[in-house]
Amino acid sequence: MFSAIARIFRTPDLRRKIGFTLGIIAIYRFGAHIPAPFVSYPSVRECLDATAGGGGLMSIVNLFSGGALLQLSIFALGVMPYITASIIIQLLRVVIPHFEALQKEGQAGQSKLTQYTRYLTIALALLQSTTLVTVARSGQLFGVTDIAACNNLLLNNSWLTQAMIVITLTAGTGLIMWFAELVTERGVGNGMSLLIFTSIAASFPGALGSIWAAKGFEIFALVILVGIVIIALIVFVEQSQRRIPVQYAKRMVGRRTYGGTNTYIPIKVNMAGVIPVIFASSLLYLPTLIAQFNTPNDGTAPAAWVQWINTYLVTGDHPFYMALYFLLIVGFTYFYVAITFNPVEVADNMKKYGGFIPGVRAGRPTAEYLDYVLTRITLPGSLYLGLVALIPLIALSAVGANQNFPFGGTSILIMVGVGLETVKQIDAQLQQRHYEGLLR
């Protein structure tokens, strides 16, 4: 293992790529601590210390920004606009025929879709930055209104000040998107995934430190041990797949024989990735947002429906919230897999090139068989996603940690997935040069 790592740094090209990637990551983390113009940084720090960085409404987005959101830095929006834009473009491929045609055009069509994603990212960044400035001005950013500093995060509330902050945050999102593309072209791994990995990893020391300070070394050691077990189980499930055998018939073209090969269709247990967790979290986030804006600031009792939302859907440790969260993740997993994997299209492509599944007729029977296998294998995948996503909520009730508990939920799924993919890319580049990689 250590000799393989040494080979990485002895390979000039690979060493240069890793150095470039680390340099971009360092710049990205530095920008996450530079406050936006006209933001009162002492007030921000006071609110962060008073609320322990809980963040109320914005905890999910704050996780993806590496804590930059609640600091109102120039990179406050992080990668969230790009993630949202990518998901929207991917879903529109099923709805809009033009997008579906672009996807089938190969590299040229994919470049066009990437360009649409960039435009949509900037539009969403404008919308989200405007919302963030509005929430910060109203004093609801940290979910508390009884702290004076949280109501004075901006130095002044003029429209010019707010417009400058919105432009700065939008430009920061564009810069992050450029950083990600640079890493993808000149570095190692997928740039956007690595920036997400960096943002989440940046919150680990603080989260673990707060557990040690609040609960002592015994609970801290137990959390570390549970975390190692969870990571091992996630790696096992993420690597698990059902391989459907496919055979291609031989055909003569002139004097040459083509086909006659045996291959397989890999269907992963978790084909949806972390997207269903993001969908479910965002859907449960909306009632909380509406309730926060309908909570009176004069000390009077809120409406009955606001009290119901505050009781069942805000803290995250209520059994009703956990059950609803779990069911939403299961449902969104089936929904997303049905959109991204089309058994009819796969069966048609196999039939076009002379492929068939042994024991299954080509055409419609193949599509029905693929749909049957996909439906059955998605069930354990959806249950797995739901259980992993509930880990932070269970920790919130059992250990008293916040919802950004490091070993669970969206954070650990993304970190393990990105880590596995990056290691595989480094391994592939090592094998090209030394015939021996990192993995055995």
Side-chain angles (χ1 to χ4, degrees):
M1 180 66 182
F2 293 104
S3 61
I5 296 176
R7 281 197 301 273
I8 293 176
F9 293 98
R10 284 200 301 265
T11 306
D13 185 38
L14 196 54
R15 184 175 64 241
R16 185 166 54 251
K17 288 183 176 181
I18 293 177
F20 180 81
T21 303
L22 294 177
I24 293 293
I25 289 175
I27 297 173
Y28 172 65
R29 288 306 303 158
F30 177 72
H33 296 280
I34 301 176
F38 304 107
V39 171
S40 176
Y41 191 69
S43 299
V44 171
R45 293 307 311 172
E46 183 178 344
C47 285
L48 281 173
D49 295 337
T51 59
L57 299 176
M58 303 293 184
S59 59
I60 301 171
V61 187
N62 188 55
L63 175 66
F64 283 100
S65 66
L69 175 77
L70 295 183
Q71 298 184 41
L72 291 176
S73 71
I74 59 174
F75 290 162
L77 299 181
V79 297
M80 206 62 185
Y82 185 87
I83 295 174
T84 308
S86 300
I87 294 173
I88 292 174
I89 294 296
Q90 193 169 11
L91 294 178
L92 288 179
R93 294 175 187 173
V94 185
V95 180
I96 301 177
H98 175 63
F99 282 16
E100 186 178 1
L102 286 176
Q103 186 183 8
K104 295 179 180 179
E105 287 181 5
Q107 185 64 33
Q110 191 63 39
S111 300
K112 200 71 175 177
L113 289 174
T114 302
Q115 197 69 17
Y116 289 154
T117 305
R118 293 170 184 162
Y119 294 148
L120 185 58
T121 299
I122 297 300
L124 290 174
L126 278 171
L127 178 63
Q128 293 182 15
S129 58
T130 304
T131 304
L132 177 60
V133 171
T134 304
V135 173
R137 188 184 61 176
S138 66
Q140 298 284 346
L141 180 62
F142 291 86
V144 293
T145 56
D146 55 346
I147 301 177
C150 296
N151 297 316
N152 298 287
L153 298 177
L154 306 184
L155 296 179
N156 62 75
N157 293 325
S158 66
W159 69 269
L160 185 61
T161 297
Q162 297 176 49
M164 183 64 70
I165 298 176
V166 168
I167 293 173
T168 302
L169 297 183
T170 305
T173 300
L175 190 59
I176 291 173
M177 191 164 50
W178 182 57
F179 283 164
E181 293 180 357
L182 283 179
V183 172
T184 303
E185 293 175 5
R186 304 181 184 179
V188 175
N190 182 278
M192 192 60 68
S193 299
L194 283 174
L195 293 185
I196 299 173
F197 178 95
T198 304
S199 300
I200 295 174
S203 64
F204 265 55
L208 292 175
S210 63
I211 293 174
W212 191 339
K215 300 296 180 180
F217 178 76
E218 291 80 7
I219 298 296
F220 172 80
L222 179 62
V223 167
I224 295 294
L225 181 62
V226 171
I228 293 174
V229 174
I230 290 173
I231 291 174
L233 292 176
I234 290 177
V235 170
F236 175 76
V237 177
E238 291 294 326
Q239 297 293 93
S240 303
Q241 56 183 223
R242 166 73 184 275
R243 296 181 175 182
I244 300 178
V246 177
Q247 294 182 1
Y248 285 91
K250 294 182 179 180
R251 52 195 178 97
M252 296 292 295
V253 179
R255 293 185 177 181
R256 295 187 177 181
T257 303
Y258 293 91
T261 58
N262 297 329
T263 183
Y264 59 87
I265 301 175
I267 299 182
K268 295 181 64 177
V269 174
N270 179 25
M271 288 192 65
V274 75
I275 301 299
V277 182
I278 298 176
F279 279 178
S281 302
S282 302
L283 193 61
L284 289 176
Y285 159 82
L286 290 177
T288 308
L289 179 64
I290 296 172
Q292 281 285 354
F293 280 109
N294 286 274
T295 302
N297 296 327
D298 54 1
T300 59
W305 64 272
V306 175
Q307 294 181 8
W308 188 90
I309 291 177
N310 291 333
T311 302
Y312 294 100
L313 298 180
V314 172
T315 58
D317 56 352
H318 197 279
F320 176 78
Y321 179 93
M322 294 184 183
L324 183 60
Y325 189 39
F326 182 84
L327 292 176
L328 282 175
I329 290 174
V330 173
F332 277 127
T333 302
Y334 275 95
F335 169 74
Y336 190 76
V337 169
I339 287 177
T340 54
F341 187 90
N342 189 349
V344 176
E345 183 179 353
V346 174
D348 290 343
N349 290 333
M350 289 171 53
K351 185 177 180 180
K352 185 188 302 182
Y353 295 103
F356 63 94
I357 299 174
V360 181
R361 287 188 300 168
R364 183 177 176 182
T366 299
E368 293 176 350
Y369 177 77
L370 290 174
D371 183 66
Y372 170 74
V373 173
L374 188 65
T375 302
R376 292 192 62 183
I377 204 170
T378 302
L379 178 60
S382 62
L383 297 178
Y384 148 78
L385 275 180
L387 291 175
V388 173
L390 285 179
I391 290 174
L393 304 182
I394 297 173
L396 181 66
S397 302
V399 185
N402 58 26
Q403 292 192 25
N404 294 333
F405 181 74
F407 298 111
T410 314
S411 58
I412 197 67
L413 287 170
I414 292 177
M415 288 195 65
V416 172
V418 175
L420 286 174
E421 189 62 32
T422 305
V423 168
K424 286 180 181 178
Q425 290 199 22
I426 295 176
D427 181 71
Q429 296 198 29
L430 274 179
Q431 287 183 350
Q432 289 179 358
R433 296 168 175 83
H434 300 283
Y435 302 103
E436 188 176 353
L438 282 171
L439 306 177
R440 300 283 182 180

